[in-house]
Amino acid sequence: MNIGQNGLEGSRRPWREGDTITDDPGLKQLLQTLWTMVQGPALIDSYDVFLDLRIVTSFDLVFGGKAGRVFLVDMINAFLPSNVDSINSLTKIQQPKGSSSGKQGHKFDFCFEDDLGRLIVIDMQKTFLNNYQKQIEKELNNVTNAWLQQTSAKNQRNDFPVIGLSIVDFLVGGQPTGNCIKVADDNDDQLQVLDMTKGEPLLLLTELKKIETEAEDLYDTKEMFLFLLANLGRIGEVPNIFNTEYYLPLFDLARFADRNKEEKARYEQAVYDQVVLEDRAQKFPIELFKYGLKDSFTRDVEETGNKRKIQEFTCGRLYVYSHLTIEEIADIVELSEDEVKAIIKAEGMKLISKN
């Protein structure tokens, strides 16, 4: 394959200075092939249609401006439990200084202050982040302490001073604690167990892999926004259910062709980086999955101090919900294969071959 002044072999026209990545048909086809290998539907096709909201750059392009901020407010409100005050407006700010998360180098992707003086943080992560739920809860607690110190004079609210929206493809390991709402699970029972103690953060955890509803089956604002987060970059036209006066401006904001040259270049670079990242992850998906489970198991044991209980729980969960073999499960929970089999039988489960 030759890349030079004449562009990629097979291109319909030579590459010219100032072209964006997708102006070179040969490179576009190459990237589309790479993406198909690691993701399934070709994201590159969406260059001519809509931006993928799972990418931080495009999320900012759509929701970061004044027009898009209106939709961001509505989206977060749709995810909030009914007993938490709604947001009316958002002002983009820097992450509060003094939070240990900031000192350690982890920064949330977006930070806003709402009209009620609450800090709204948004964090977006990819598939293979290990033990993500516990990490984000820890970071939220850190930034909450810093925010309360920074705003103690004006923040006298009795509900959550900090609200975190986590957007992640899918989770590996970890169990939510504290005030955590799994948005995609649609579990209304969780709304009754929220601790309204002053000073505690609220985490809205959105796992995009669980969003499998077809566009025509969407029934409320929450489902509409979840669908867009998970699928906007992979649909070629506006679904009929979104063909309304309210939603069409959002699709216009996300239309690739309507972005300026600099914005297109930023998005294309972000997509290219993600293609490379996904390609690397695809080579070791099982290893990453098992590593995340091992990390989660170790942390659970450290936090509870009850290794046997965690071993039994993890064995049962992995045996039912994963394709791991008995040998692989035994390695994760630090038991022999016979001990794992005994736990599974004691739980009343039938042993089957997963090889």
Side-chain angles (χ1 to χ4, degrees):
M1 182 174 293
N2 178 41
I3 302 178
Q5 290 299 317
N6 294 323
L8 287 170
E9 292 179 355
S11 297
R12 291 190 294 272
R13 66 162 177 78
W15 177 87
R16 294 193 293 265
E17 185 175 357
D19 282 347
T20 57
I21 291 176
T22 52
D23 285 327
D24 187 323
L27 185 53
K28 176 176 178 178
Q29 182 177 8
L30 173 62
L31 289 176
Q32 180 172 322
T33 301
L34 277 173
W35 185 259
T36 302
M37 290 170 58
V38 302
Q39 183 70 10
L43 176 63
I44 305 306
D45 283 344
S46 70
Y47 277 168
D48 300 322
V49 190
F50 304 112
L51 306 178
D52 191 328
L53 295 178
R54 298 172 302 165
I55 299 174
V56 174
T57 298
S58 52
F59 191 96
D60 189 34
L61 287 174
V62 174
F63 294 117
K66 184 178 180 180
R69 200 77 56 80
V70 175
F71 293 103
L72 182 59
V73 167
D74 290 345
M75 179 173 70
I76 297 176
N77 282 335
F79 296 164
L80 284 175
S82 58
N83 58 343
V84 177
D85 289 337
S86 297
I87 299 167
N88 291 314
S89 63
L90 292 171
T91 303
K92 186 177 283 190
I93 61 173
Q94 296 295 320
Q95 182 163 317
K97 295 181 179 180
S99 65
S100 61
S101 57
K103 291 179 181 178
Q104 294 170 3
H106 178 91
K107 293 187 67 175
F108 293 104
D109 293 314
F110 305 98
C111 290
F112 301 93
E113 182 175 0
D114 77 350
D115 55 296
L116 298 176
R118 296 174 298 191
L119 177 67
I120 312 296
V121 296
I122 300 175
D123 203 54
M124 308 174 71
Q125 295 290 344
K126 289 304 299 175
T127 297
F128 46 82
L129 186 62
N130 304 316
N131 208 35
Y132 178 67
Q133 296 181 43
K134 291 183 179 178
Q135 176 184 333
I136 195 70
E137 288 163 11
K138 178 181 178 181
E139 300 293 355
L140 266 182
N141 285 327
N142 290 336
V143 79
T144 297
N145 292 332
W147 181 250
L148 287 174
Q149 292 177 11
Q150 179 176 316
T151 62
S152 58
K154 64 177 182 178
N155 192 335
Q156 301 297 325
R157 299 192 53 78
N158 292 318
D159 62 0
F160 309 102
V162 175
I163 297 173
L165 172 60
S166 166
I167 302 173
V168 61
D169 276 6
F170 71 85
L171 299 166
V172 178
Q175 292 295 318
T177 59
N179 299 315
C180 177
I181 299 295
K182 282 194 170 184
V183 178
D185 282 355
D186 199 21
N187 185 358
D188 291 336
D189 291 340
Q190 294 181 87
L191 305 188
Q192 308 303 318
V193 297
L194 290 178
D195 178 10
M196 301 296 284
T197 304
K198 185 177 179 180
E200 294 296 322
L202 169 65
L203 172 60
L204 304 172
L205 189 60
T206 301
E207 186 177 4
L208 299 182
K209 184 178 177 64
K210 292 187 176 180
I211 302 167
E212 300 176 347
T213 310
E214 299 295 330
E216 59 269 19
D217 296 327
L218 302 172
Y219 67 89
D220 62 12
T221 305
K222 171 183 157 184
E223 284 206 351
M224 303 277 266
F225 276 113
L226 286 173
F227 178 87
L228 293 176
L229 285 176
N231 300 295
L232 186 59
R234 292 178 283 185
I235 58 178
E237 59 185 13
V238 179
N240 289 333
I241 196 169
F242 290 101
N243 193 12
T244 67
E245 184 178 352
Y246 173 80
Y247 284 105
L248 285 177
L250 175 58
F251 280 84
D252 289 339
L253 286 171
R255 201 177 300 276
F256 176 79
D258 292 344
R259 310 309 306 198
N260 62 41
K261 188 172 184 179
E262 180 183 350
E263 291 170 340
K264 289 179 180 179
R266 283 175 56 199
Y267 178 63
E268 289 168 341
Q269 183 61 53
V271 171
Y272 176 79
D273 292 342
Q274 184 155 309
V275 168
V276 173
L277 191 65
E278 294 279 358
D279 188 39
R280 292 173 181 171
Q282 186 71 9
K283 291 181 172 62
F284 309 101
I286 300 301
E287 286 75 9
L288 286 167
F289 179 63
K290 289 192 291 187
Y291 183 85
L293 292 172
K294 181 69 173 180
D295 181 60
S296 176
F297 169 77
T298 302
R299 290 174 182 265
D300 286 344
V301 171
E302 290 175 352
E303 290 188 7
T304 65
N306 191 336
K307 185 173 183 179
R308 183 61 182 181
K309 180 178 179 180
I310 300 301
Q311 286 173 323
E312 292 174 350
F313 172 78
T314 305
C315 282
R317 182 180 57 165
L318 295 184
Y319 188 72
V320 173
Y321 296 109
S322 78
H323 296 288
L324 298 180
T325 64
I326 295 295
E327 180 182 4
E328 290 169 326
I329 294 174
D331 180 64
I332 290 170
V333 300
E334 300 174 1
L335 292 172
S336 69
E337 293 181 43
D338 288 339
E339 288 174 311
V340 171
K341 291 178 181 178
I343 290 174
I344 292 171
K345 289 180 179 178
E347 295 290 332
M349 291 177 276
K350 183 179 179 181
L351 288 169
I352 58 175
S353 174
K354 293 189 179 183
N355 294 315

